[in-house]
Each structure stands twice: as C-alpha cells, then as structure tokens.
Amino acid sequence: MRKILALALAFTMVLSMAACSTTKKDDPSAKSEGVMTYKEYVAAELDSEVVIEAYVQAKQSWWEDKATVYAQDGDGAYFLYNMACSETDYGKLTQGTKIKVTGYKSEWAGEVEIIDASFEIMDGSYVAPATDVTALLGKEELVDHQNQFAAFKGLTVEASKDADGNEVAFLYNWDGSGQDGDDLYFQASLNGETYTFTVESYLCDKTTDVYAAVKALEIGEKIDMEGFLYWYEGVNPHITSVTKAK
Amino acid sequence: MRKISLCLVFAMLFSFLFSGCHGSRGLEAFAIPEDFDESRDYEITFWAKNDTNKTQTRIYEKAIADFQALYPNITVNLRLYTDYGKIYNDVITNISTNTTPNVCITYPDHIATYLTGANTVVPLDELFANEKYGLGGSSLRFDSPTQEEMIPSFLEECVIDGQHYAIPFMRSTEACYVNKTYVEKLGYELPEVLTWDFIWEVSEAALAKNVDGTYRLNGQNVMIPFIDKSTDNMMIQMLCQKEAGYSNDRGEILLFNDTTRELLNTIAQHAKSGAFSTFKISSYPANFLNAGQCVFAIDSTAGATWMGSHAPLSDISRDKFIEFETEVKMVPQFDPEQPQMISQGPSVCIFNREDPQEVLASWLFAQYLLTNELQIAYAQTEGYVPVTLKAQNSAAYQTYLSRIRDDNSTFYDVKIKASQLLLDHVENTFVTPVFNGSASLRDAAGQLIENVTKSVKRKETVDNSYIEKLFADVSSLYRLDQIGGRASISVDREELGELPAASVALLSILAIAWILILFYVLFEAIRKKRM
C-alpha cells in the first residue's frame, strides 16, 4: 500500500511540475486586460497615451531616475526613452524581464518611441531571437521592424574617411571628431549598396566585445552583425555584436 | 572608576571631534608661485567640448601640440565631449573623488555649482594681473592678450561673486535661420528685425494645406513652421525682452510670474495648431529647415554650419535637401528698437590642486587658448566670435570675414553671417545671474515650454489651473523651492544648508557631556563640603 501511495504521490508531483513549466512558458504576444497588442500600438496616434507589455531586451542608459530601454514582444519592438525608473529598479531590468509600460507614443527624427513613461515589473520572461533583416536593407519595409533585435549577414566592411582624409574601417563619432569611448561609426555594403552602422557607446561602451570587434575591423572584411534597429533620419542600427561572416 | 569613565567619554568625544575636522578639510587656496618650476614634468587633463566637428577636434589637438612644443615639461591630455551637460555631470561626479580635470570647458552657471566645494575652482584675478604669468605676462612663451585686449563684456560674464572664475573661450548667440524663399512665397516681406508677432503670423499661414492633405507651402506631409532648439534660451530671452522676472543678482527665483503665464498661453496656442515645436519634441531644427519642412529655425550661431540649402554639415541625406535662400536674423523681439539676445559660448575654468606648480601649468595652457591663432581658427569652425580684441581686430580675422561666400566650407555664408550678427550686436547681448542653482533654473525655464507644448499635442487643456500646477511641479522637480534668497557662491551657511543629523548628534553629545561634567564637579564639591 505504501509503495502504491508513494508512486501516486510521485506521479502527482511530476504532473504538477509539468503543469508549472507550461504556465511559465510565456506567450510573448499575449496581453493582460487593458493592454494594447503590438498592432494596436502601431495604429495608435502619435502623442496619445499607450499601455503596452513587453520584455526587456537591452538597457541603454540610466541617469537621474530615467532609463532608456529596448523592449520587445512576440510581434514587435518598443524603444522606451527616459522612462521613470529608480536605480534599484534599473538593476532589476535584466534581459527578458517582462514589464508593463504606460506612456506616450512619440516620434523623434523618425524614431517611434514611448516617452514620459512609467512601468511595473510583471511575471514572465522572453528573449527575442534576432530577426534576419539583411534582405530588407534599403527597402521601405525595414521600418516595420523598427527597434527590433535584428541580424545582418554577409556584409563587407567599407572604407570611411577620417579627420585627415585617410581611409579607415571605423570612425569615432560620425565624422571622426571623437575619441576612444565615443560612438563608433562604420560602413558595410551589400549588393553594391553601403549602409552605416553604429556602436552606441551608452548601449555598448568601450569595455564591450562589440566595441573591441569594431575597432579591429578591416576594410574588405566580411561580417555578420546583430543589433537593434534604431532610427535617426533613416535606419541607424545600434550594433551589439560583430563576427566574421559564416 | 567614575574618573576612568569620564576620561573615556572625553577621549571618545575628542576623537569624534578630530575625525570630523579631518573629513571636512578641502584643498588649500591656490597661491601663485614666484616662478614656474620648469625642472619638473607636469601632466594635466583638459576636458573640452566640440560640436561634433572634426575641425574643432583637430584645432584642439594642434593647440596642444604647439603648446607642448613651447613647454616640453607639460603634457596635456585631451578628453572630448560633445555635450556641456555631460561635462557638468562628470565634473560633479569627479569633485567628490578629487579627480576633476585641470582645465575644463564650461559655463559660469556650472562653475557656480562647482564652487560649493571649498577651493575647488581657482579664482583667476590674481593670475590675470601677475606680472610674469598673467595676461600678457613677461615670462610667457607665447603672445597672450593683455586684460585690456579681452572683450570686456565677455570677460565680465565670467565673474561670480565679484571674482573671475573663468576666461571666455568662444562666444556665440542664438540666431533665427529663415527660409526667406518660403516667407516671400507666403506673401510676406522679411523685416530687418523679426518680431514675435511676425513669427507667429507667418508660422500659422504656413500651415495651409492642399486638398490631398499635403502642405501648400512645400507639397510635403511634414511642416513645422517654427522650431526652437533651446527652449530655456527661448523663455529667458522672451522674459528679458519683456523686462519680466527670471532671477536676480541675489539669487531669487522670479520665473513663475504673470508674464511667464502669458507667454506660455501664447506658445501653447501655436503648439496646438502645429505652428511651433521644439528640438526635444521633434528633432534638430536644421534637419527640418534644410528639408523644406520649417520656415524659422532658432539655434545657436555655433550651429550655423548645419543650416541652409548648402550646409556643409548635415544629418539628413543630400537628396532630402531643397533649394532656398537662407537669411540669418536676430532672434525675434518684442521691441525691435531695443533688441535683446543671449550671450553664450564656452568658457574655461581651472580646477585647484595641492601642487600650485601644477595649477600654474594649467593656467599657462588655459591662457594659451586665448592666442590669436587658436582663437581665429576655432571661431572659423562655426558661427563663433573670438573673445579678444586682439584676435577680432587682426588682419587674419578681418580677411576671413570679408571672404564670405568664397567657398562652401571655411567661408560658408550662413556661418559668417551668424558670426557677423553677434559682432554687430554685442551691446544687445545679456547673460543671466549666476548662482548655485542657476543651472537648474535655466532647465526649469525650458521645461515650462516643453511641457505646455507636449500637453497641447496630447490634447490636454492648458489653462490657468494647468499653469499653476506646472509652476509647482517644475519648481519641485528642479528643487527651486529650496534655493530661494541669496544662493551665494562662497561656502557660507546658506549653501551648507541644515546641519547633518550626525553633526547635530555630535553637538548634542558635547552639550550633554559638559552638563554632566559640571554636574559632577558640583556634586563632588558639595560632597566634600559635607564631609
């Protein structure tokens, strides 16, 4: 009898554990009541209040109780600019953390973002895979992926001109006016078209692997990249990793 | 036993007292050495700001190389910033760790905050006047301007609490960059001096649309007729022109007044129609101006190379540019007969060190930034003007000004017009009072405009009760309610504020100890008397 009871208990535990693991696996597109779907967010007018749920993908900066964060759900991405956030809460915003954000939809130089926002941390976790947007470079549809974690594959590093007119693989700041620690700008081409990529120093500072990798780039080198599809007067990807093309 | 206990109490109290003294001690005030000791090597740091402009970076680098050739025992390490606010934040952080730069590009408003630390920033008056190393000094290895050769008003801007704490490096003002072609297309003639009434009227007219929803003026889907880059300057200049309160020399906050209310209501009205927006809300005015999506773009004269159909610098692709005639005007005025515009631009301060020789080395480099070659070269990078008469009156600078339109880079017409605007109107410039908290007040002034503009875009009602709440919120956000009254620069009681709790506790313990001692002595005396 004891053996049967033990077996029954073990079986129940296994079943309950399986049930738990099922509920923990979030549907990143699912929304709580009163929260917009990504489609509804896209349709919302600029300067209107929006309430979204998303998962932190990367933190860009924190200063004076304001955080700037890339977040994403199963359908699209959000750039949360200068969101009210204590330093303690900023520490809790790790990759995958689910948050509910209330703020205003806004646009700055082409970048659609949520500003004047507040947030609360929710249960759940999701890390978005990089969407391969290589084929969309130079096309209008690319904007549909704005702020998403994206991959660019098989591009060739092109020369930029530094302050002295020399050909270099990257520049500190867009025109070469900066120095180590500033944003890195570099160009890479695909099918005869050249695009500009940035290592944003707040998102990835000079201690990061990507910063070192870009400084080590050579003109003509073939590379794969990942990063966030930021927008500034056109697409301006903020790169988080660079590797030799596979 | 009692005596031992008392001794212990005394020992503890004294140790507290001495440790407190030790912790509060700052640097000694700087005293100018008799001679600069050239037998030693010095390494100094220079935190500089450039306008994301590689020519400026190269000028700094060349200046350092030339200076080091003159003084081989001084090494200058350059750290570049593109944002005054970031320099300010980093300096504040570094003051607490005694790792400030030696020489730093800054604004007097910021220095006022730096000065809350004892002897943090070096007062410069004695250095100016020093016979050997002062302005135009006899022992300098370069041709430095004398104090009389500095533009007096620019030098005056560096006075805080009666002392010079900085030297001006470059000066600029704000200008209104106008798409003259559009103004005339709308049927208006551009006046010599822009008025606010004119700006608002033309901006509203520019919003007329075609039946397909595009704007009649540019045939595009985007048109923000008037964009201001710096809303703090916008509010400050409007209040100055109206002779209304902002702050005064006693450090009193006068921003929240009826004129400000009136101005905010007008701004809200034009933001609501879409005639007005700000850099923080929409983006750089230059990008809209050059794409034909803006008629009036207000920005610093130090941003002139980004303005116009043929701007040498741009963040937008060339295919987005449209062709138009760019005019550079004074910022709009309420009284065109008595124009008022802000004076701004980088100044240089020197941070104190334990070693006075190191401070003197810093001063030599700071002063080198005033030499003609550097002043003229840097002024040419943007719509800046040199801060010395020596440079302004030099043949090289006058030739530069006369060669307007000779090319589209060094002699870019919009840039030279912007510099000329300031040169012609130095007497019409003003600065705001500097005190500990004046940097926050400046931010607050801009925040008022940003908030009403955002609110009307969000279809919120901006009325008197909204503005009252806005005043309270902004005052609280920038802690202006804690500044009030004289916020003097020297380390006085008001700046130190309330005593910290630990100090109050220590003083209380001391008082209690003395009472106990007196009580003990009295008690012993009575006891002995009875015995």
Side-chain angles (χ1 to χ4, degrees):
Chain A
M1 184 61 191
R2 270 186 200 165
K3 280 182 184 171
I4 293 168
L5 206 60
L7 272 172
L9 269 172
F11 186 65
T12 312
M13 279 180 72
V14 168
L15 276 180
S16 62
M17 280 176 75
C20 281
S21 67
T22 305
T23 52
K24 272 188 179 172
K25 203 169 190 181
D26 261 22
D27 171 3
S29 299
K31 304 293 173 187
S32 308
E33 197 179 330
V35 175
M36 292 172 155
T37 62
Y38 183 73
K39 199 175 170 186
E40 287 168 335
Y41 168 74
V42 170
E45 277 187 27
L46 290 175
D47 302 310
S48 66
E49 190 177 56
V50 292
V51 183
I52 61 115
E53 279 173 355
Y55 301 80
V56 173
Q57 301 304 306
K59 296 192 288 188
Q60 180 161 303
S61 63
W62 180 89
W63 180 251
E64 291 184 336
D65 287 340
K66 285 174 187 161
T68 296
V69 169
Y70 282 100
Q72 200 159 331
D73 64 19
D75 300 312
Y78 312 85
F79 187 62
L80 313 173
Y81 180 73
N82 273 354
M83 177 171 67
C85 177
S86 69
E87 193 167 13
T88 310
D89 282 347
Y90 191 64
K92 295 175 188 166
L93 296 181
T94 54
Q95 190 184 32
T97 305
K98 185 176 183 180
I99 52 176
K100 180 180 176 181
V101 180
T102 304
Y104 289 88
K105 185 176 170 182
S106 185
E107 182 179 343
W108 197 86
E111 170 73 6
V112 177
E113 58 195 15
I114 299 177
I115 63 168
D116 296 333
S118 57
F119 75 99
E120 56 184 292
I121 294 174
M122 315 278 285
D123 285 336
S125 180
Y126 169 68
V127 176
T131 306
D132 189 342
V133 296
T134 313
L136 295 177
L137 280 169
K139 294 185 179 166
E140 282 190 8
E141 303 95 281
L142 187 62
V143 76
D144 297 336
H145 296 270
Q146 192 177 88
N147 298 321
Q148 283 184 19
F149 188 55
F152 312 86
K153 292 183 177 167
L155 278 77
T156 305
V157 177
E158 297 292 335
S160 301
K161 289 242 168 102
D162 73 5
D164 298 316
N166 303 315
E167 290 199 337
V168 293
F170 73 94
L171 295 171
Y172 293 110
N173 286 345
W174 70 278
D175 64 343
S177 63
Q179 56 186 185
D180 195 32
D182 289 335
D183 294 352
L184 301 179
Y185 281 74
F186 63 101
Q187 301 197 78
S189 66
L190 185 76
N191 302 327
E193 292 293 326
T194 300
Y195 308 95
T196 302
F197 297 86
T198 305
V199 177
E200 217 281 346
S201 55
Y202 287 138
L203 181 65
C204 296
D205 67 20
K206 66 178 182 181
T207 65
T208 57
D209 291 344
V210 66
Y211 203 94
V214 170
K215 281 169 66 178
L217 286 177
E218 288 179 12
I219 298 164
E221 192 177 355
K222 279 214 164 204
I223 53 171
D224 293 341
M225 293 175 278
E226 287 181 345
F228 293 94
L229 271 179
Y230 184 75
W231 230 254
Y232 176 70
E233 302 293 353
V235 66
N236 174 216
H238 287 177
I239 296 304
T240 57
S241 88
V242 173
T243 53
K244 283 193 188 299
K246 289 169 188 165
Chain B
M1 185 62 196
R2 273 184 203 162
K3 281 178 185 170
I4 292 170
S5 301
L6 207 60
C7 285
L8 279 173
V9 169
F10 267 117
M12 202 166 76
L13 287 173
F14 274 108
S15 69
F16 272 131
L17 205 59
F18 284 126
S19 63
C21 286
H22 179 76
S24 65
R25 193 165 175 238
L27 287 165
E28 293 288 334
F30 168 69
I32 307 172
E34 188 66 26
D35 287 296
F36 180 50
D37 184 354
E38 298 191 37
S39 65
R40 292 172 50 198
D41 289 334
Y42 307 92
E43 191 163 338
I44 62 173
T45 49
F46 172 39
W47 288 7
K49 190 251 178 192
N50 77 77
D51 307 306
T52 320
N53 181 319
K54 63 185 175 188
T55 312
Q56 292 173 352
T57 304
R58 292 169 75 180
I59 290 169
Y60 282 134
E61 288 166 350
K62 183 177 183 305
I64 289 169
D66 292 348
F67 176 77
Q68 289 178 161
L70 293 170
Y71 293 92
N73 60 324
I74 305 176
T75 303
V76 181
N77 297 315
L78 175 68
R79 180 168 169 187
L80 286 168
Y81 288 82
T82 53
D83 184 337
Y84 289 109
K86 184 83 168 67
I87 298 181
Y88 176 63
N89 292 335
D90 281 3
V91 168
I92 294 290
T93 307
N94 282 270
I95 282 176
S96 58
T97 53
N98 279 331
T99 48
T100 53
N102 295 83
V103 180
C104 189
I105 293 276
T106 189
Y107 261 84
D109 273 335
H110 296 169
I111 297 173
T113 308
Y114 306 156
L115 283 171
T116 52
N119 299 320
T120 308
V121 184
V122 177
L124 301 176
D125 296 75
E126 287 184 24
L127 279 167
F128 285 175
N130 186 270
E131 192 270 328
K132 287 181 181 169
Y133 305 108
L135 292 165
S138 59
S139 297
L140 298 173
R141 293 185 183 168
F142 51 86
D143 189 14
S144 153
T146 62
Q147 189 157 348
E148 292 69 38
E149 286 173 320
M150 300 292 294
I151 307 284
S153 60
F154 296 163
L155 197 57
E156 181 65 23
E157 291 167 16
C158 299
V159 173
I160 304 173
D161 247 23
Q163 290 204 79
H164 289 91
Y165 279 97
I167 46 173
F169 173 52
M170 284 288 132
R171 281 297 175 267
S172 60
T173 184
E174 285 208 315
C176 187
Y177 302 90
V178 187
N179 183 326
K180 189 181 175 190
T181 309
Y182 276 176
V183 171
E184 290 175 349
K185 192 175 169 185
L186 287 165
Y188 292 91
E189 189 182 334
L190 203 57
E192 185 55 37
V193 179
L194 294 173
T195 64
W196 285 102
D197 285 344
F198 181 84
I199 289 260
W200 295 131
E201 185 179 333
V202 176
S203 296
E204 292 294 338
L207 292 172
K209 284 189 173 180
N210 296 312
V211 284
D212 64 357
T214 57
Y215 289 92
R216 212 177 287 167
L217 187 58
N218 64 0
Q220 300 184 41
N221 291 314
V222 178
M223 166 54 73
I224 307 175
F226 172 26
I227 306 176
D228 205 313
K229 167 77 191 309
S230 165
T231 42
D232 42 7
N233 277 343
M234 181 180 174
M235 177 57 82
I236 289 166
Q237 289 175 127
M238 285 178 127
L239 289 171
C240 178
Q241 291 169 13
K242 286 255 184 191
E243 296 182 354
Y246 171 68
S247 69
N248 60 24
D249 289 334
R250 294 188 301 281
E252 289 169 330
I253 308 299
L254 309 172
L255 170 66
F256 306 108
N257 59 56
D258 286 343
T259 307
T260 307
R261 283 186 187 87
E262 178 196 322
L263 294 171
L264 289 173
N265 276 315
T266 305
I267 290 164
Q269 179 195 328
H270 297 293
K272 190 174 184 179
S273 69
F276 168 73
S277 191
T278 74
F279 156 72
K280 284 185 181 168
I281 292 170
S282 297
S283 185
Y284 289 94
N287 294 346
F288 289 93
L289 183 80
N290 299 348
Q293 297 168 343
C294 173
V295 185
F296 304 104
I298 294 185
D299 203 337
S300 170
T301 55
T305 54
W306 300 79
M307 298 287 182
S309 278
H310 303 280
L313 301 178
S314 177
D315 273 347
I316 61 171
S317 55
R318 288 286 154 188
D319 61 310
K320 288 183 181 168
F321 274 58
I322 64 147
E323 191 64 35
F324 62 94
E325 187 181 346
T326 311
E327 196 55 81
V328 184
K329 293 285 184 185
M330 266 193 288
V331 290
Q333 303 291 323
F334 286 110
D335 180 0
E337 300 300 317
Q338 294 179 52
Q340 298 280 343
M341 54 198 205
I342 202 148
S343 174
Q344 57 186 15
S347 296
V348 179
C349 73
I350 296 168
F351 284 94
N352 199 9
R353 291 288 188 273
E354 283 180 7
D355 177 9
Q357 289 286 346
E358 186 180 332
V359 177
L360 188 53
S362 307
W363 162 246
L364 292 176
F365 176 69
Q367 197 182 168
Y368 187 74
L369 300 174
L370 298 175
T371 52
N372 267 15
E373 189 184 354
L374 185 58
Q375 282 286 309
I376 294 167
Y378 202 94
Q380 289 179 9
T381 64
E382 271 296 355
Y384 284 119
V385 301
V387 297
T388 69
L389 288 165
K390 195 181 179 93
Q392 281 192 10
N393 295 335
S394 68
Y397 188 65
Q398 291 302 317
T399 301
Y400 160 71
L401 293 176
S402 70
R403 292 185 63 188
I404 185 167
R405 292 190 193 86
D406 265 13
D407 66 23
N408 205 40
S409 53
T410 305
F411 306 106
Y412 180 50
D413 63 339
V414 172
K415 181 186 63 167
I416 294 181
K417 279 182 190 174
S419 297
Q420 195 66 58
L421 177 76
L422 178 54
L423 290 168
D424 293 345
H425 292 281
V426 170
E427 75 281 5
N428 300 120
T429 63
F430 71 95
V431 290
T432 51
V434 173
F435 50 88
N436 182 17
S438 57
S440 297
L441 177 61
R442 159 172 279 278
D443 290 341
Q447 195 67 53
L448 296 174
I449 294 179
E450 298 293 344
N451 278 26
V452 295
T453 305
K454 270 196 276 195
S455 288
V456 293
K457 281 173 177 282
R458 293 171 187 172
K459 300 183 173 57
E460 293 169 17
T461 303
V462 171
D463 55 15
N464 287 343
S465 60
Y466 170 96
I467 291 177
E468 285 313 309
K469 185 173 182 307
L470 177 65
F471 280 3
D473 290 348
V474 168
S475 177
S476 168
L477 179 66
Y478 292 98
R479 297 173 187 170
L480 301 181
D481 42 358
Q482 294 169 32
I483 295 174
R486 180 66 184 131
S488 87
I489 299 309
S490 56
V491 183
D492 60 15
R493 183 183 161 78
E494 194 155 66
E495 257 183 30
L496 291 172
E498 293 295 316
L499 276 176
S503 305
V504 172
L506 180 62
L507 287 171
S508 305
I509 289 169
L510 278 171
I512 292 165
W514 277 110
I515 291 166
L516 287 173
I517 291 164
L518 284 172
F519 180 75
Y520 176 77
V521 170
L522 204 66
F523 176 77
E524 284 293 302
I526 293 167
R527 198 166 63 92
K528 277 179 185 170
K529 209 173 181 180
R530 282 184 182 170
M531 281 165 69

